[in-house]
Amino acid sequence: MADPVVASHLSLVLKAPPTISSPSHSLPQQHSKPMASSLNSAASLRLFVSSSSSSSSAAARLCLRSTSLSFSSSLKSLAFSPLSRHKRGSAVSMSSTGGFSSVASPKCAASDPDQLKSAREDIKELLKSKFCHPILVRLGWHDAGTYNKNIEEWPRRGGANGSLRFEVELKHAANAGLVNALNLIQHIKDKYSGVTYADLFQLASATAIEEAGGPKIPMKYGRVDVSGPNECPEEGRLPAAGPPSPADHLREVFYRMGLNDKEIVALSGAHTLGRSRPERSGWGKPETKYTKDGPGAPGGQSWTVQWLKFDNSYFKDIKAKRDEDLLVLPTDAVLFEDPSFKVYAEKYAEDQETFFKDYAEAHAKLSNLGAKFNPPEGIVLDDGPR
């Protein structure tokens, strides 16, 4: 889905001393047919954060809680040797030369609330300048959407654990183009070393929904990051756009996550944001009258006319079937064909308030799937009334 580079169907933590820099390397072009769907409660621990607290003092408090005091935030800018990278894993980020390099970040027990709130403000500014709401939603969903409820062990069960920052997972066909989302927010991660990748991905996703006019998502934070690419899930856990039996496929994927029919349909409604680009996903038109002028990079085919506004247009437009310039994938059309899905799709087409309520609950549930929280009950940022 999304801008500046999106093609989806809505879906480091190292503690080793730096050695020598590794050379930059470029990721290969990704051409893929499958395309993932862009694819809970509030925590009992509520932290009231003083706005006068500085990021540096917050980071210091956080690192005092950590098991190691010897690595500063500057560690993130140091590259590791190929041998170290092979042993411990690497994250992908842009180097000064424009290529990709492997970098490490300090390991702290949980994200710092002060830094989370500051990072959220930076994400809001990024959204205003880059119009990247859809791809940030997709980033969070694809990190969480690998969860398998039948596997108890963390992180083998997948889910919201920051594994999507590693090249091996970014290369999965369903994640085509998501390296661009990582590049968009990497500077925020560099700035706030006390925020885990797992939390940053989910914070960016929820903030994008809210800033596009969607509902307030009842989020909690404190997700622990996986430490290396060896902990990434295998390919094939995310939804495809055009399976032979769309309804069966959606249920197979989302039931595995522990989600139900109502949540499948509600989450599908996030396709009100974004576009599909055929050069990445194999789906959609190169451009339409709604996308040829942007905003952001032009092109692609959107599901809705105002594809940067979060509302219930997705359901209305699928039901109407009037505009050939709007995208309808097999997994979209089936929402009005399958008897169980249709109950919710019809309701959401008529009642945006109900859609917003159900969507917010489903999004929050998805964002917590498979996550390991520290503290276990998570951290809720108290913002007061919206």
Side-chain angles (χ1 to χ4, degrees), residues 7 14 72 92 156 160 175 192 227 331 361 366 375:
L14 298 180
S72 70
V92 179
R156 197 167 64 87
N175 293 328
Y192 302 107
S227 58
T331 45
E361 293 173 356
L366 176 66

Side-chain angles (χ1 to χ4, degrees), residues 41 43 45 47 110-113 116-117 120 123 195-196 198-207 210 216-224 363 367-368 371-381 383:
S41 57
L45 175 65
L47 299 183
S111 294
D112 180 86
L116 280 165
K117 294 184 82 171
R120 181 170 56 193
I123 291 168
V195 175
T196 63
D199 271 349
L200 183 61
F201 293 168
Q202 300 309 321
L203 176 66
S205 182
T207 302
E210 294 169 11
K216 177 74 175 176
I217 313 295
M219 298 291 290
K220 67 176 181 178
Y221 299 96
R223 295 169 187 79
V224 177
H363 184 124
S367 76
N368 295 336
K372 179 167 71 174
F373 286 91
N374 190 344
E377 62 270 40
I379 301 166
V380 173
L381 303 180
D383 305 309

Side-chain angles (χ1 to χ4, degrees), residues 1 56 86 91 107 119 134 138 157 223 232 242 248 259 273 282 334 358:
M1 328 178 325
S56 59
H86 174 74
K107 185 168 186 176
R138 184 178 167 221
R157 65 195 182 206
R223 295 169 187 79
C232 290
D248 290 344
L259 301 173
L273 298 178
V334 77
D358 291 351

Side-chain angles (χ1 to χ4, degrees), residues 253-303:
V253 172
F254 285 93
Y255 284 12
R256 187 209 68 222
M257 300 182 207
L259 301 173
N260 59 33
D261 285 1
K262 181 175 78 170
E263 291 160 337
I264 291 172
V265 179
L267 290 171
S268 296
H271 276 154
T272 193
L273 298 178
R275 303 168 287 177
S276 177
R277 295 181 180 274
E279 67 271 20
R280 301 196 190 98
S281 69
W283 294 91
K285 298 178 180 180
E287 71 173 27
T288 71
K289 62 190 176 205
Y290 303 122
T291 65
K292 63 185 179 67
D293 297 320
Q301 186 176 13
S302 60
W303 283 265

Side-chain angles (χ1 to χ4, degrees), residues 86-235:
H86 174 74
K87 286 183 176 181
R88 302 304 303 271
S90 59
V92 179
S93 66
M94 287 297 293
S95 70
S96 59
T97 60
F100 293 93
S101 62
S102 301
V103 296
S105 64
K107 185 168 186 176
C108 294
S111 294
D112 180 86
D114 291 338
Q115 292 196 28
L116 280 165
K117 294 184 82 171
S118 296
R120 181 170 56 193
E121 295 308 307
D122 285 10
I123 291 168
K124 290 178 181 179
E125 292 304 312
L126 178 69
L127 292 166
K128 291 176 184 177
S129 63
K130 298 294 185 181
F131 309 105
C132 54
H133 305 66
I135 200 170
L136 294 188
V137 174
R138 184 178 167 221
L139 180 68
W141 282 36
H142 284 216
D143 194 47
T146 59
Y147 175 63
N148 187 338
K149 68 177 182 180
N150 301 311
I151 301 175
E152 185 175 350
E153 178 188 355
W154 184 92
R156 197 167 64 87
R157 65 195 182 206
N161 57 30
S163 65
L164 189 49
R165 72 190 188 274
F166 292 111
E167 181 177 346
V168 64
E169 190 169 343
L170 285 168
K171 285 182 175 179
H172 290 179
N175 293 328
L178 280 179
V179 66
N180 298 288
L182 183 61
N183 289 336
L184 281 168
I185 63 171
Q186 184 61 48
H187 72 283
I188 300 177
K189 179 68 177 78
D190 293 341
K191 184 176 179 181
Y192 302 107
S193 61
V195 175
T196 63
Y197 277 99
D199 271 349
L200 183 61
F201 293 168
Q202 300 309 321
L203 176 66
S205 182
T207 302
I209 292 291
E210 294 169 11
E211 291 300 295
K216 177 74 175 176
I217 313 295
M219 298 291 290
K220 67 176 181 178
Y221 299 96
R223 295 169 187 79
V224 177
D225 278 340
V226 297
S227 58
N230 59 305
E231 295 178 315
C232 290
E234 73 279 3
E235 188 166 6

